[in-house]
Amino acid sequence: MSTIVATHFVSLDGKVDPTGGDPALHDTAWTFKTVDAVPEAYELKGREQEEAGALLLGRRSYESFAPVWPSMDEFPRYNTLPKYVVSTTLGEDDLVDNWGETRILRSLDDVARLKESGDGEIQVHGSVSLTRALGDAGLIDAYHLLVFPVLLGQGKPLFSDADKPAQKLRLVEHEAYRNGIQKQIFEVER
């Protein structure tokens, strides 16, 4: 069985994408405008690329990444991996042809079947709505978080506020960096 790992940059107040407030921090700008650059804080990102067996993306993240990632030197291994896009609206004609094997999954049941049929690590990058849905469905096995020392206020929260039983996590790795970023790796306890 595959494991699904959700990997995110997140603010201290649990937001992954500011939608209001400071226009200079919209989208991913907040991740580099709120802290000084410290290369060792991003070691996790290089390790994830080596550990990944496939990428799982929501439609909006796919539409953001697909035009850019294939030509970026930072992601050579991701470009060779199978990609799965969870969408009810994306069609085969919407897929780019220079980013390797890509398959559209239409439901969380399709994701569950993918998870059961494989044996590698499937990583979710970006895709906060998908991450929340996967978490609510009990399909996430681990969270890789880089927590930034900033309160974003408005924005998309990483975790759902669904009325469901508490989910216990086990901290398996952590580190704090001189710029205030904290690496927190949690495994979901079943």
Side-chain angles (χ1 to χ4, degrees):
M1 179 179 293
S2 292
T3 58
I4 295 180
V5 174
T7 176
H8 291 277
F9 297 133
V10 61
S11 67
L12 191 58
D13 57 346
K15 303 299 196 282
V16 294
D17 186 13
T19 55
D22 187 345
L25 299 182
H26 282 280
D27 300 320
T28 59
W30 69 273
T31 62
F32 59 87
K33 289 187 175 183
T34 60
V35 298
D36 294 330
V38 175
E40 60 269 22
Y42 301 97
E43 170 275 333
L44 176 62
K45 297 289 131 198
R47 186 170 26 136
E48 286 173 343
Q49 191 169 174
E50 295 309 311
E51 294 171 350
L55 298 180
L56 180 64
L57 303 164
R59 178 191 52 82
R60 284 189 297 263
S61 291
Y62 176 80
E63 290 175 339
S64 295
F65 296 164
V68 183
W69 277 25
S71 62
M72 293 178 71
D73 293 337
E74 294 91 337
F75 306 117
R77 185 147 187 285
Y78 287 150
N79 292 334
T80 67
L81 296 177
K83 287 142 204 88
Y84 301 91
V85 184
V86 181
S87 174
T88 58
T89 59
L90 201 66
E92 294 294 328
D93 291 344
D94 298 318
L95 300 177
V96 298
D97 58 7
N98 65 335
W99 204 23
E101 174 192 347
T102 304
R103 191 169 124 212
I104 299 171
L105 305 178
R106 297 295 181 195
S107 68
L108 293 180
D109 289 337
D110 289 344
V111 174
R113 283 189 286 279
L114 172 68
K115 181 178 175 175
E116 289 173 11
S117 68
D119 62 0
E121 184 170 291
I122 302 170
Q123 293 178 358
V124 181
H125 292 264
S127 307
V128 67
S129 297
L130 177 60
T131 295
R132 288 194 304 253
L134 293 168
D136 288 348
L139 293 171
I140 292 180
D141 299 291
Y143 292 92
H144 290 186
L145 306 177
L146 288 179
V147 182
F148 284 68
V150 62
L151 302 173
L152 291 174
Q154 289 185 353
K156 295 178 185 175
L158 176 57
F159 298 103
S160 152
D161 62 357
D163 186 10
K164 62 180 183 174
Q167 176 65 69
K168 190 169 181 183
L169 307 175
R170 184 174 68 253
L171 182 66
V172 295
E173 186 179 336
H174 63 91
E175 190 166 352
Y177 302 97
R178 66 181 187 270
N179 64 354
I181 292 177
Q182 296 177 43
K183 171 177 59 179
Q184 300 176 0
I185 298 180
F186 294 96
E187 290 179 353
V188 174
E189 291 192 2
R190 305 258 186 239

